[in-house]
Short mmCIF file of all heavy atoms in Angstrom, two decimals:
data_model
loop_
_atom_site.label_atom_id
_atom_site.label_comp_id
_atom_site.label_asym_id
_atom_site.label_seq_id
_atom_site.Cartn_x
_atom_site.Cartn_y
_atom_site.Cartn_z
N MET A 214 1.20 42.09 53.72
CA MET A 214 1.23 40.80 54.29
C MET A 214 2.68 40.31 54.50
O MET A 214 3.58 40.54 53.68
CB MET A 214 0.54 39.89 53.22
CG MET A 214 0.35 38.49 53.76
SD MET A 214 -0.36 37.48 52.41
CE MET A 214 -1.89 38.42 52.05
N PRO A 215 2.91 39.76 55.57
CA PRO A 215 4.24 39.16 55.87
C PRO A 215 4.58 38.11 54.85
O PRO A 215 3.79 37.52 54.21
CB PRO A 215 4.28 38.57 57.24
CG PRO A 215 2.87 38.65 57.71
CD PRO A 215 2.02 39.47 56.71
N ASP A 216 5.97 37.81 54.72
CA ASP A 216 6.34 36.70 53.63
C ASP A 216 5.76 35.34 54.04
O ASP A 216 5.44 34.50 53.34
CB ASP A 216 7.84 36.66 53.64
CG ASP A 216 8.41 38.03 52.81
OD1 ASP A 216 7.59 38.58 52.14
OD2 ASP A 216 9.55 38.32 53.05
N GLY A 217 5.85 35.09 55.49
CA GLY A 217 5.48 33.82 55.93
C GLY A 217 4.75 33.99 57.19
O GLY A 217 4.77 35.03 57.88
N VAL A 218 4.32 32.84 57.69
CA VAL A 218 3.70 32.78 59.02
C VAL A 218 4.03 31.40 59.65
O VAL A 218 4.20 30.49 58.94
CB VAL A 218 2.19 32.99 58.92
CG1 VAL A 218 1.52 31.97 58.17
CG2 VAL A 218 1.54 33.11 60.34
N SER A 219 4.18 31.46 60.97
CA SER A 219 4.46 30.02 61.53
C SER A 219 3.10 29.52 62.12
O SER A 219 2.43 30.29 62.74
CB SER A 219 5.57 30.15 62.59
OG SER A 219 5.26 31.12 63.58
N TYR A 220 3.01 28.20 61.94
CA TYR A 220 1.84 27.59 62.63
C TYR A 220 2.46 26.28 63.19
O TYR A 220 3.16 25.64 62.47
CB TYR A 220 0.54 27.40 61.83
CG TYR A 220 0.75 26.26 60.77
CD1 TYR A 220 0.18 25.06 61.10
CD2 TYR A 220 1.08 26.47 59.47
CE1 TYR A 220 0.20 23.97 60.25
CE2 TYR A 220 1.14 25.48 58.62
CZ TYR A 220 0.67 24.25 58.88
OH TYR A 220 0.69 23.28 57.99
N GLY A 221 2.14 25.98 64.42
CA GLY A 221 2.80 24.95 64.98
C GLY A 221 4.41 25.32 65.03
O GLY A 221 4.72 26.33 65.43
N HIS A 222 5.12 24.33 64.49
CA HIS A 222 6.59 24.70 64.47
C HIS A 222 7.00 24.89 63.06
O HIS A 222 8.20 24.81 62.75
CB HIS A 222 7.42 23.49 65.07
CG HIS A 222 7.07 23.28 66.53
ND1 HIS A 222 7.36 24.15 67.56
CD2 HIS A 222 6.38 22.26 67.15
CE1 HIS A 222 7.01 23.72 68.71
NE2 HIS A 222 6.29 22.50 68.53
N MET A 223 6.12 25.12 62.17
CA MET A 223 6.41 25.29 60.69
C MET A 223 6.22 26.76 60.34
O MET A 223 5.33 27.41 60.67
CB MET A 223 5.48 24.38 59.90
CG MET A 223 5.80 22.98 59.87
SD MET A 223 5.08 22.00 58.48
CE MET A 223 3.33 22.01 59.09
N GLU A 224 7.14 27.15 59.39
CA GLU A 224 6.93 28.41 58.67
C GLU A 224 6.10 28.07 57.39
O GLU A 224 6.46 27.00 56.78
CB GLU A 224 8.24 29.05 58.21
CG GLU A 224 8.97 29.77 59.39
CD GLU A 224 8.24 31.12 59.76
OE1 GLU A 224 7.73 31.74 58.73
OE2 GLU A 224 8.25 31.54 60.90
N VAL A 225 5.18 28.83 57.08
CA VAL A 225 4.50 28.59 55.82
C VAL A 225 4.62 29.89 54.97
O VAL A 225 4.88 30.95 55.39
CB VAL A 225 2.94 28.39 55.95
CG1 VAL A 225 2.73 27.05 56.72
CG2 VAL A 225 2.24 29.51 56.62
N GLU A 226 4.45 29.67 53.63
CA GLU A 226 4.57 30.78 52.73
C GLU A 226 3.28 30.78 51.93
O GLU A 226 2.47 29.94 51.95
CB GLU A 226 5.85 30.69 51.81
CG GLU A 226 7.07 31.00 52.65
CD GLU A 226 8.43 30.97 51.79
OE1 GLU A 226 8.33 30.59 50.59
OE2 GLU A 226 9.39 31.18 52.37
N PHE A 227 3.15 31.80 51.03
CA PHE A 227 1.91 32.06 50.29
C PHE A 227 2.13 32.02 48.88
O PHE A 227 3.06 32.72 48.32
CB PHE A 227 1.28 33.40 50.73
CG PHE A 227 0.82 33.47 52.08
CD1 PHE A 227 1.70 33.66 53.11
CD2 PHE A 227 -0.47 33.23 52.48
CE1 PHE A 227 1.32 33.70 54.45
CE2 PHE A 227 -0.98 33.36 53.76
CZ PHE A 227 -0.06 33.45 54.78
N THR A 228 1.30 31.30 48.07
CA THR A 228 1.39 31.41 46.67
C THR A 228 0.85 32.77 46.21
O THR A 228 0.26 33.53 46.95
CB THR A 228 0.46 30.37 45.92
OG1 THR A 228 -0.89 30.70 46.29
CG2 THR A 228 0.84 28.92 46.32
N ARG A 232 -2.11 35.22 47.82
CA ARG A 232 -1.93 36.67 48.14
C ARG A 232 -2.96 37.49 47.42
O ARG A 232 -3.63 38.46 48.11
CB ARG A 232 -0.55 37.20 47.79
CG ARG A 232 0.59 36.57 48.65
CD ARG A 232 1.97 37.04 48.13
NE ARG A 232 2.97 36.47 48.99
CZ ARG A 232 3.38 37.04 50.13
NH1 ARG A 232 2.84 38.16 50.52
NH2 ARG A 232 4.32 36.46 50.81
N PHE A 242 -4.96 39.23 57.55
CA PHE A 242 -3.76 38.26 57.81
C PHE A 242 -3.83 37.55 59.25
O PHE A 242 -3.64 36.32 59.31
CB PHE A 242 -2.39 38.88 57.53
CG PHE A 242 -1.38 37.93 57.65
CD1 PHE A 242 -1.18 37.11 56.50
CD2 PHE A 242 -0.55 37.77 58.71
CE1 PHE A 242 -0.11 36.24 56.51
CE2 PHE A 242 0.40 36.81 58.75
CZ PHE A 242 0.65 35.98 57.61
N ILE A 245 -6.10 34.59 59.16
CA ILE A 245 -5.41 33.44 58.60
C ILE A 245 -4.48 32.76 59.56
O ILE A 245 -4.50 31.54 59.66
CB ILE A 245 -4.83 33.91 57.26
CG1 ILE A 245 -5.93 34.18 56.38
CG2 ILE A 245 -3.90 32.86 56.74
CD1 ILE A 245 -5.49 34.99 55.13
N ARG A 246 -3.65 33.53 60.20
CA ARG A 246 -2.69 33.09 61.14
C ARG A 246 -3.43 32.34 62.21
O ARG A 246 -3.07 31.20 62.60
CB ARG A 246 -1.88 34.23 61.71
CG ARG A 246 -0.66 33.71 62.58
CD ARG A 246 -0.10 34.79 63.46
NE ARG A 246 -1.09 35.17 64.41
CZ ARG A 246 -1.46 34.60 65.54
NH1 ARG A 246 -0.91 33.39 65.80
NH2 ARG A 246 -2.45 34.99 66.34
N MET A 249 -4.88 28.93 61.17
CA MET A 249 -3.87 27.89 61.05
C MET A 249 -3.29 27.44 62.42
O MET A 249 -3.00 26.29 62.62
CB MET A 249 -2.69 28.37 60.13
CG MET A 249 -3.16 28.24 58.64
SD MET A 249 -1.75 28.56 57.56
CE MET A 249 -1.37 30.13 57.97
N THR A 250 -3.21 28.37 63.26
CA THR A 250 -2.54 28.00 64.61
C THR A 250 -3.58 27.37 65.61
O THR A 250 -3.19 26.54 66.35
CB THR A 250 -1.81 29.21 65.28
OG1 THR A 250 -2.79 30.29 65.42
CG2 THR A 250 -0.65 29.68 64.46
N ARG A 263 -4.28 20.26 53.01
CA ARG A 263 -4.77 20.18 54.32
C ARG A 263 -5.58 21.53 54.51
O ARG A 263 -5.09 22.62 54.18
CB ARG A 263 -3.61 20.19 55.37
CG ARG A 263 -4.17 20.12 56.81
CD ARG A 263 -3.11 19.54 57.77
NE ARG A 263 -2.77 18.25 57.41
CZ ARG A 263 -1.68 17.55 57.65
NH1 ARG A 263 -0.63 18.19 58.08
NH2 ARG A 263 -1.52 16.26 57.33
N PHE A 265 -7.65 24.11 57.02
CA PHE A 265 -7.83 24.57 58.45
C PHE A 265 -9.09 25.43 58.42
O PHE A 265 -9.17 26.36 57.59
CB PHE A 265 -6.65 25.43 58.77
CG PHE A 265 -5.32 24.56 58.84
CD1 PHE A 265 -4.57 24.52 57.65
CD2 PHE A 265 -4.93 24.06 60.01
CE1 PHE A 265 -3.39 23.69 57.69
CE2 PHE A 265 -3.68 23.25 60.01
CZ PHE A 265 -2.94 23.15 58.92
N VAL A 279 -8.66 27.80 55.21
CA VAL A 279 -7.30 28.20 54.71
C VAL A 279 -6.85 26.81 54.17
O VAL A 279 -6.71 25.83 54.92
CB VAL A 279 -6.43 28.71 55.84
CG1 VAL A 279 -5.03 28.94 55.26
CG2 VAL A 279 -6.98 29.95 56.45
N VAL A 281 -3.86 24.56 52.61
CA VAL A 281 -2.34 24.55 52.63
C VAL A 281 -1.79 23.22 51.95
O VAL A 281 -2.48 22.17 52.14
CB VAL A 281 -1.89 24.51 54.06
CG1 VAL A 281 -0.44 24.45 54.19
CG2 VAL A 281 -2.30 25.79 54.85
N ASN A 282 -0.78 23.41 51.20
CA ASN A 282 -0.11 22.25 50.63
C ASN A 282 1.04 22.03 51.52
O ASN A 282 2.03 22.73 51.58
CB ASN A 282 0.46 22.66 49.22
CG ASN A 282 1.32 21.50 48.64
OD1 ASN A 282 1.45 20.34 49.30
ND2 ASN A 282 1.80 21.59 47.47
N PRO A 283 0.84 20.87 52.38
CA PRO A 283 1.89 20.51 53.33
C PRO A 283 3.00 19.71 52.82
O PRO A 283 3.96 19.37 53.53
CB PRO A 283 1.09 19.83 54.48
CG PRO A 283 0.05 19.11 53.63
CD PRO A 283 -0.36 19.99 52.40
N GLN A 284 2.92 19.35 51.51
CA GLN A 284 3.87 18.39 50.98
C GLN A 284 5.07 19.02 50.48
O GLN A 284 5.93 18.38 49.83
CB GLN A 284 3.22 17.53 49.95
CG GLN A 284 1.97 16.76 50.44
CD GLN A 284 1.35 15.92 49.44
OE1 GLN A 284 1.92 15.28 48.64
NE2 GLN A 284 -0.07 15.88 49.43
N VAL A 285 5.19 20.32 50.49
CA VAL A 285 6.31 21.10 50.02
C VAL A 285 7.00 21.74 51.25
O VAL A 285 6.39 21.90 52.32
CB VAL A 285 6.04 22.13 49.00
CG1 VAL A 285 5.50 21.40 47.70
CG2 VAL A 285 4.88 23.04 49.50
N ASP A 286 8.18 22.12 51.09
CA ASP A 286 8.98 22.74 52.23
C ASP A 286 9.44 24.14 51.79
O ASP A 286 10.31 24.11 50.79
CB ASP A 286 10.17 21.88 52.71
CG ASP A 286 10.82 22.46 53.97
OD1 ASP A 286 10.13 23.27 54.61
OD2 ASP A 286 11.98 22.15 54.05
N PRO A 287 8.98 25.24 52.31
CA PRO A 287 8.03 25.34 53.45
C PRO A 287 6.55 25.05 52.82
O PRO A 287 6.31 25.18 51.62
CB PRO A 287 8.06 26.76 53.76
CG PRO A 287 8.55 27.55 52.57
CD PRO A 287 9.51 26.60 51.92
N PRO A 288 5.66 24.62 53.78
CA PRO A 288 4.28 24.50 53.27
C PRO A 288 3.73 25.74 52.77
O PRO A 288 4.15 26.88 53.06
CB PRO A 288 3.51 24.14 54.61
CG PRO A 288 4.62 23.60 55.50
CD PRO A 288 5.87 24.39 55.19
N LEU A 289 2.88 25.60 51.66
CA LEU A 289 2.38 26.86 50.94
C LEU A 289 0.87 27.00 51.19
O LEU A 289 0.11 26.05 51.03
CB LEU A 289 2.54 26.48 49.44
CG LEU A 289 3.73 27.01 48.78
CD1 LEU A 289 3.90 26.56 47.27
CD2 LEU A 289 3.97 28.49 48.85
N VAL A 290 0.48 28.12 51.53
CA VAL A 290 -1.00 28.51 51.59
C VAL A 290 -1.42 28.72 50.11
O VAL A 290 -0.88 29.54 49.43
CB VAL A 290 -1.17 29.80 52.50
CG1 VAL A 290 -2.73 30.15 52.33
CG2 VAL A 290 -0.81 29.64 53.85
N VAL A 291 -2.38 27.89 49.75
CA VAL A 291 -2.88 27.87 48.34
C VAL A 291 -3.97 28.88 48.15
O VAL A 291 -3.98 29.57 47.11
CB VAL A 291 -3.23 26.55 47.92
CG1 VAL A 291 -3.75 26.42 46.49
CG2 VAL A 291 -2.17 25.48 48.16
#
Side-chain angles (χ1 to χ4, degrees):
M214 191 181 300
D216 290 336
V218 62
S219 56
Y220 77 92
H222 299 292
M223 283 197 286
E224 279 288 325
V225 298
E226 290 182 358
F227 293 80
T228 63
R232 291 174 177 278
F242 187 77
I245 291 166
R246 189 198 63 77
M249 285 191 292
T250 53
R263 181 162 291 152
F265 298 85
V279 180
V281 176
N282 176 0
Q284 302 181 41
V285 292
D286 186 23
L289 270 174
V290 176
V291 178

